[in-house]
Structures are given as C-alpha cells and as structure tokens.
Amino acid sequence: MHSRLPLTAEHLVELHVNGWTDEQIIAEYPFIEPEDIQQALRFALSLMQRAFYLPMAESA
C-alpha cells in the first residue's frame, strides 16, 4: 500500500536521472500523472537556463 506523500520536483527529476521511465514512476507512485513529470522536468530546465555568474579567482 502506498501512502500519498507529496513528491517534489527534485525527486521526480532525480528518478529520471537514475534511469526510471515515466511508466516506472507512475507504477510506483500511482497518484502521479504524466503531466506532473513533465512539469518537474520543465521546472528543472528553467532553472538550468538561468544565468549564474561565479567570481573567478585572479591569476597569479
């Protein structure tokens, strides 16, 4: 029996990164819909598309 715990976008993306298919995710978490997975991946992509600037150490 599965408890209905909320899954974060991070967890859904992590499952994908670790090789889970949409079908495997939905089988393990039947309250998740394909659109939930797509939204999590879109969210991750939007974070990656932001510009981040890191200070560079000066060369000696």
Side-chain angles (χ1 to χ4, degrees), residues 10-58:
E10 177 185 5
H11 187 71
L12 289 174
V13 172
E14 183 178 3
L15 291 173
H16 255 278
V17 167
N18 287 310
W20 288 47
T21 65
D22 288 359
E23 293 77 19
Q24 289 171 313
I25 295 170
I26 293 166
E28 184 69 22
Y29 304 99
F31 54 90
I32 295 295
E33 298 180 7
E35 183 60 24
D36 298 325
I37 299 168
Q38 289 303 308
Q39 287 180 355
L41 294 172
R42 281 189 210 105
F43 175 69
L45 177 62
S46 73
L47 292 176
M48 292 170 43
Q49 290 173 331
R50 294 182 182 184
F52 290 98
Y53 298 96
L54 301 174
M56 300 295 290
E58 290 187 29

